Amino acid sequence: MKITVTDAQVDIKVMVFEGNLETNTSPEAEQKINSLIETGVKNILINFEKLNYISSAGLRVLLATAKKLKTKQGMLCIIGLNETVQEIFEMSGFIAIFNVFDSESEAIKHF
Amino acid sequence: MEFDTFKEEQAIIDQAEVFLADGQKQDCLPAYQTLLNEYKKLLKTSRRLVRMSDRSEQKLKITEDALSKANKRMEQELNVGREIQMSMLPSTFPPFPEHDEFSIYAQLHPAREVGGDLYDFFFTAENWLCFSVGDVSGKGVPAALFMTVTKAMVKSRASDDLSPASIITHANEELSTDNVSSMFITFFLCLLNIKTGEMLYTNAGHNPPYIKRRDGSIETLNKRHGPVMGAMEGIAYKEDKNRLYQGDMIFLFTDGVTEAMDEAENLFGEASLLDLLKSGDNQTPDELVNATFKAVKNFENGTPQSDDITVLALKYLKPLQESIIHSMDLILKNRLYEIDRMNNRFNEFAGKHAIPLKISRTMGMIFDELLNNIISYAFLDESEHEIEVKVELSGEDMVITLTDDGIPFNPFQKEAPDTKLSIEDREIGGLGILLVRQMMDKVSYQRKIDKNVISLVKTITH
């Protein structure tokens, strides 16, 4: 899985995940996210436009990330869900837990 | 004092006796004496006859009362018998409006005295329709009850058995054991796969049904696979195969049709029935069944029906589909990195057979969840095991089977929480399986001796 990190604004990092967030790729994703947080990042915008699907392993990472950022008075926002990922979020009830938006601009307003 | 019908006659005798006692009439005495004796005998007999007649009349009255009561009871019994019989029959038509693969219609006209005919149809497994007709040997409430029991035995066995021979064999065993009545039932059972038109059937002493093919030709399903049911235990019934193609109609009936009689006691007969079937009219099951009853009624011409008449017709409507099955088979090692290989292979397969992208993505998640579970929990050791994954695509249905030789492990069962995991981790673990359940149309687990087998079904609508 490919992960690209860019800056949206001064204190918001955008992470684009390309591929699948699942059993084998979640550890890597979690590592990357954690190293960002260690450098002081509080706000992360995850863009799933290029993500095929997410499994429960990936959901676990997202949940852990959201919690970590909250303790640092920051937050996690997510955009770019495709039909499958949207369905997974809805069926798991995570759509209510995470901050999901339709566009980057909308998400940024929320931070 | 007993009333005497013969007062006058008695008076004559009294007078004669006085006359004879008079000594002056001595010479005519013997003749008169004889006459008098005969007359007295006659009178005695007459009196006795009158007394007997009175008693008879009384007895007759008692018998008439009893008969009237018995008659009323019998009428009730007939009604009860008929109610039992008719309430057991599926009578909603069309019974499966959502199924356009076939059309079915049936009717039963009971005789005045319930004759114990039956018909039945129901789905057993997915896509398998079970239908039947039967004819119990006795009459009245006992026959109706016997019919009810047979129907229940067959249906119960059929819920878990796709072989007519096996169903009939087991049902017969139940019926025959402790069957103290001398009743038995002729029975014809058919299982039809509505997706393919394949048919399996067993005939237990019943009159053979007909198949009218689309081109108009008539086939008789002549084979008999065993004796009537209920008569003897320990019978192993057989079965035969056949196939219905689009436009074919199968026609089941009881001998009430062919043995219907007119005033001159002629029988309706097989020939008349065949003529009716051969005629170009009556293209739908409803039309054919109704036409049969009409023809029989016309033939009977008012003669009361002596036996139940039952007719069931089913027309197969599904066009032949390429039942070509596309499939792929993959053997994986029980290592997490193998999940990638699974997804790559599946995506390849999906591309080849135009499986929508949404489905491949979903399957990516499904494979990740299930393989993760199996690899993590089905094996107690670190050694290499094999996991076999099979994907079969048939028409609109995709069936995925995962087989492994690990410990008995059913990921769909609520497992005991791993206390080493934090609360979030535990909940999410169960969540994965929940997602699998919700995204697939059907999921199931079976332990086959030494293997775990997980089956998933997804109907793909393009």
Side-chain angles (χ1 to χ4, degrees):
Chain A
M1 184 179 59
K2 200 162 122 190
I3 307 174
T4 4
V5 185
T6 54
D7 288 303
Q9 269 170 33
V10 178
D11 56 349
I12 301 173
K13 288 280 185 209
V14 178
M15 297 181 81
V16 179
F17 289 74
E18 193 175 333
N20 310 308
L21 193 55
E22 35 155 28
T23 300
N24 286 320
T25 53
S26 296
E28 177 198 336
E30 192 159 29
Q31 233 175 39
K32 201 125 191 187
I33 293 172
N34 284 341
S35 42
L36 276 182
I37 296 178
E38 271 158 37
T39 66
V41 172
K42 291 191 299 186
N43 295 316
I44 299 180
L45 173 59
I46 289 182
N47 187 340
F48 276 153
E49 259 170 30
K50 300 204 174 124
L51 188 77
N52 284 319
Y53 64 86
I54 186 168
S55 73
S56 62
L59 291 174
R60 201 173 295 153
V61 171
L62 290 182
L63 192 61
T65 305
K67 288 200 163 121
K68 274 203 195 97
L69 293 179
K70 194 160 177 204
T71 61
K72 307 224 182 245
Q73 275 85 47
M75 73 166 85
L76 169 70
C77 289
I78 306 174
I79 60 170
L81 306 191
N82 70 24
E83 215 183 325
T84 304
V85 179
Q86 174 84 19
E87 206 177 341
I88 293 171
F89 268 53
E90 279 168 9
M91 283 191 177
S92 60
F94 275 45
I95 195 84
I97 307 178
F98 293 131
N99 305 314
V100 179
F101 299 98
D102 291 325
S103 67
E104 190 169 317
S105 43
E106 258 185 68
I108 291 181
K109 267 189 256 167
H110 192 85
F111 277 105
Chain B
M1 194 180 68
E2 211 183 288
F3 175 75
D4 193 0
T5 324
F6 303 104
K7 263 202 173 98
E8 281 180 17
E9 286 83 348
Q10 185 66 48
I12 293 172
I13 292 174
D14 292 339
Q15 265 184 1
E17 299 216 294
V18 167
F19 179 74
L20 284 169
D22 184 350
Q24 291 179 354
K25 310 284 182 334
Q26 289 307 313
D27 38 343
C28 18
L29 203 65
Y32 279 126
Q33 192 67 53
T34 310
L35 204 64
L36 184 66
N37 286 339
E38 287 311 300
Y39 200 76
K40 274 161 105 168
K41 269 194 231 164
L42 199 65
L43 192 63
K44 197 167 169 191
T45 307
S46 299
R47 281 196 178 117
R48 207 174 70 235
L49 278 174
V50 166
R51 276 202 301 277
M52 269 174 63
S53 163
D54 276 347
R55 277 204 293 274
S56 291
E57 254 182 56
Q58 277 174 27
K59 273 203 190 134
L60 196 64
K61 186 97 200 353
I62 294 172
T63 309
E64 269 176 10
D65 280 343
L67 264 177
S68 167
K69 279 205 190 96
N71 226 22
K72 276 209 186 83
R73 263 223 335 261
M74 198 166 79
E75 289 289 342
Q76 278 176 353
E77 230 189 60
L78 287 178
N79 288 337
V80 169
R82 191 168 311 122
E83 261 176 57
I84 294 176
Q85 187 185 42
M86 299 310 275
S87 70
M88 300 295 304
L89 305 173
S91 50
T92 311
F93 294 101
F96 313 107
E98 70 279 15
H99 280 285
D100 55 0
E101 301 95 339
F102 65 96
S103 168
I104 189 170
Y105 189 71
Q107 252 189 60
L108 189 158
H109 285 201
R112 198 188 91 85
E113 202 182 345
V114 168
D117 266 13
L118 78 90
Y119 68 81
D120 202 6
F121 50 80
F122 51 89
F123 274 98
T124 62
E126 183 99 26
N127 298 330
W128 284 96
L129 179 75
C130 183
F131 58 96
S132 59
V133 292
D135 185 352
V136 176
S137 59
K139 279 197 187 305
V141 172
L145 290 175
F146 197 77
M147 175 272 268
T148 309
V149 170
T150 308
K151 185 180 183 295
M153 296 286 162
V154 169
K155 191 160 188 175
S156 157
R157 183 73 200 184
S159 66
D160 203 19
D161 194 337
L162 283 181
S163 153
S166 175
I167 296 168
I168 299 294
T169 298
H170 283 90
N172 176 62
E173 208 59 29
E174 297 276 4
L175 276 177
S176 306
T177 312
D178 300 332
N179 181 14
V180 293
S181 76
S182 51
M183 286 192 291
F184 56 83
I185 178 167
T186 70
F187 205 82
F188 181 88
L189 182 73
C190 186
L191 261 90
L192 172 72
N193 183 323
I194 59 166
K195 290 285 183 212
T196 62
E198 281 170 72
M199 247 179 66
L200 290 163
Y201 63 95
T202 292
N203 187 334
H206 196 78
N207 44 285
Y210 299 112
I211 295 181
K212 181 176 179 177
R213 298 288 179 185
R214 185 200 186 133
D215 64 2
S217 58
I218 313 260
E219 256 171 60
T220 313
L221 294 181
N222 254 320
K223 293 269 189 67
R224 284 219 168 84
H225 303 103
V228 301
M229 290 173 72
M232 223 163 72
E233 299 162 63
I235 310 267
Y237 286 83
K238 298 204 178 7
E239 66 191 27
D240 263 303
K241 260 197 208 153
N242 205 308
R243 186 107 185 236
L244 290 180
Y245 298 91
Q246 187 182 33
D248 291 346
M249 175 118 70
I250 180 167
F251 184 81
L252 276 57
F253 59 100
T254 58
D255 61 12
V257 174
T258 43
E259 293 179 10
M261 282 194 284
D262 65 8
E263 327 81 75
E265 296 195 350
N266 297 314
L267 297 181
F268 184 75
E270 299 269 346
S272 306
L273 185 56
L274 278 169
D275 282 341
L276 185 71
L277 283 175
K278 281 190 193 133
S279 81
D281 327 312
N282 312 313
Q283 295 307 325
T284 69
D286 304 43
E287 283 167 357
L288 183 54
V289 171
N290 287 328
T292 308
F293 278 104
K294 192 156 170 221
V296 169
K297 282 288 160 240
N298 277 343
F299 176 81
E300 279 173 342
N301 202 13
T303 315
Q305 198 179 311
S306 58
D307 196 3
D308 289 356
I309 301 178
T310 304
V311 183
L312 182 151
L314 180 149
K315 191 164 188 175
Y316 193 65
L317 305 168
K318 193 163 191 270
L320 186 69
Q321 213 166 46
E322 314 145 38
S323 39
I324 301 172
I325 299 180
H326 302 288
S327 67
M328 62 156 269
D329 213 310
L330 185 62
I331 310 256
L332 304 163
K333 289 195 263 236
N334 57 326
R335 302 288 179 243
L336 290 175
Y337 59 72
E338 288 274 68
I339 298 177
D340 269 348
R341 196 152 73 90
M342 179 71 241
N343 276 322
N344 289 335
R345 272 286 252 124
F346 182 80
N347 286 331
E348 214 181 280
F349 180 76
K352 244 196 261 173
H353 303 292
I355 295 176
L357 185 60
K358 179 168 184 223
I359 304 280
S360 336
R361 284 180 172 151
T362 305
M363 284 317 299
M365 186 267 286
I366 303 274
F367 282 128
D368 189 70
E369 298 295 350
L370 287 178
L371 289 171
N372 191 340
N373 259 273
I374 295 171
I375 294 167
S376 306
Y377 301 117
F379 309 101
L380 294 176
D381 52 27
E382 288 300 317
S383 47
E384 234 177 62
H385 292 264
E386 282 183 355
I387 302 170
E388 185 184 354
V389 182
K390 199 158 43 169
V391 179
E392 281 171 318
L393 199 57
S394 161
E396 285 176 344
D397 294 325
M398 181 170 68
V399 181
I400 302 122
T401 319
L402 298 97
T403 311
D404 69 79
D405 62 356
I407 60 169
F409 171 65
N410 178 358
F412 301 114
Q413 229 168 23
K414 269 203 170 82
E415 68 234 9
D418 185 342
T419 51
K420 291 199 290 285
L421 297 173
S422 69
I423 293 173
E424 293 99 335
D425 282 340
R426 238 187 290 150
E427 273 177 8
I428 294 183
L431 181 63
I433 294 301
L434 179 75
L435 288 173
V436 171
R437 265 215 157 94
Q438 288 184 326
M439 307 289 253
M440 293 283 105
D441 293 319
K442 241 187 275 195
V443 312
S444 71
Y445 166 85
Q446 256 186 321
R447 178 79 187 169
K448 288 208 170 135
I449 305 178
D450 59 344
K451 298 233 179 0
N452 296 309
V453 181
I454 294 171
S455 294
L456 312 167
V457 181
K458 179 93 182 152
T459 304
I460 302 177
T461 40
H462 294 261

